[in-house]
Every structure is written in structure tokens, then in C-alpha cells.
Amino acid sequence: MYGVLVWPPEDLRRFLEELQALHGIRGFGPPHLNLRQPFDWPYEEEALRIALAGILRGHAPFRLRLGGWGYFPQGVVYLRAYGGTPFRRLYHALEPLAPPLKEIEGPSYLPHITLALGLSEEEARRLAQELPAPQRRSFLVKEVALVRDEDEGHLLEVARFPLGVEWGPR
């Protein structure tokens, strides 16, 4: 299984991991923002890197604003994110890469960083109301990571692509 995502800056990552430790919760892998639902890739990994580089060509860095905490009824607690048109353009450009393993987000996708999975709806609601806001209110997305799930949540980064850079032959 593969994913295309954004790693949060170090201070935000630390803040999220400290909250996870304090509350005994976890998400799928380290804190991250999905740009693409997880998917399988039936070809060589190098072909995926080339395809992804082609899709990312022409996408410039953009600012991601952070909102408040929210929850999904499935027991997920998340930090809302807003990237505006540049985010939507990149998200939609990545959709044709490969079909998702499981259609869970669809056109109603809310950009977010997952803090916790596997809670009851009530636990998720309560936790989302109790959490402190991060000090950081935004960050510049300058690169995109391609990851492979090695073992149920152990995400191995296999490539990183700076935004605003021309990749491959011209």
C-alpha cells in the first residue's frame, strides 16, 4: 500500500505526538496530511516515482492553514487544515494516479491531520472538545512524500518531491 502525503513541520509533529502520548492514542503512522487516499501500485516502484513526478510538475508550494479539532463518527479525531485552491488542485491532480484501496473520502474530503483512530464516537467527540489548539496556525507545504506501508502503520518514505521544481525531461 502506498500514500502521498505531507509531513508537518517538526514543532507541529512534536506537539501532535505529545498529545498522542498524553492521551494514549494514535493515528495511522506518524502525524501527516494525506494528499491521496492509500492505494496499491501493481508496477515497479520506480514507475510510481516517475508518474508522481510528472503529476507534481508545475505545482508550486502553498500555505496550509490549521483550523480546530474535529472528529468523524467512525472514532477519528483530527486537526482540520485548509489549503484553498492550490491544495484542491494538487489533490485532484493526484486522483487518477491509481484507484484507492477503499473509498473513504471521495469528493467530500476534508484536509486534515489525524490524531487518533479507533475511538468510539463519544470518546472522539469528547477528546476533540478537550484538546488545546496548536501554537502554529499555518505552514508552507514545500514538498510531498511518497510512502509505503511496511507493516500496518509503519510508513517508510520512499521518495520526496520538492514543489515548484521541474522534474524529468523537458
Side-chain angles (χ1 to χ4, degrees):
M1 177 179 76
Y2 287 93
V4 180
L5 52 85
V6 171
W7 298 119
E10 184 66 25
D11 62 315
L12 181 57
R13 181 193 60 78
R14 238 185 352 267
F15 170 76
L16 296 169
E17 288 176 344
E18 287 169 5
L19 286 176
Q20 288 175 325
L22 178 66
H23 294 280
I25 54 176
R26 66 189 233 23
F28 190 84
H32 63 274
L33 177 114
N34 281 329
L35 289 173
R36 178 74 181 65
Q37 289 185 66
F39 60 96
D40 277 330
W41 184 257
Y43 311 107
E44 294 294 322
E45 197 169 88
E46 184 59 23
L48 177 55
R49 288 185 187 131
I50 292 167
L52 189 53
I55 292 170
L56 294 173
R57 186 178 298 127
H59 287 272
F62 61 94
R63 181 141 308 269
L64 193 70
R65 290 182 308 105
L66 300 173
W69 294 104
Y71 74 96
F72 296 125
Q74 300 85 356
V76 176
V77 177
Y78 63 87
L79 181 61
R80 183 72 159 89
Y82 301 87
T85 301
F87 174 87
R88 282 190 303 278
R89 191 173 148 254
L90 180 54
Y91 180 82
H92 291 304
L94 291 165
E95 282 181 316
L97 187 61
L101 285 176
K102 179 179 172 186
E103 184 60 60
I104 52 176
E105 295 159 353
S108 62
Y109 177 66
L110 297 175
H112 66 277
I113 300 173
T114 299
L115 183 74
L117 296 170
L119 304 176
S120 72
E121 182 177 358
E122 184 52 42
E123 289 171 321
R125 179 189 349 245
R126 189 181 72 256
L127 184 59
Q129 293 170 347
E130 294 174 0
L131 293 168
Q135 288 188 328
R136 176 184 282 275
R137 301 310 302 157
S138 71
F139 64 93
L140 189 62
V141 175
K142 299 184 279 189
E143 58 189 9
V144 171
L146 171 64
V147 298
R148 182 177 61 234
D149 179 26
E150 289 289 293
D151 180 31
E152 200 60 34
H154 176 72
L155 303 180
L156 174 68
E157 183 175 307
V158 295
R160 197 175 282 203
F161 302 90
L163 296 176
V165 174
E166 287 297 322
W167 291 94
R170 295 175 189 228

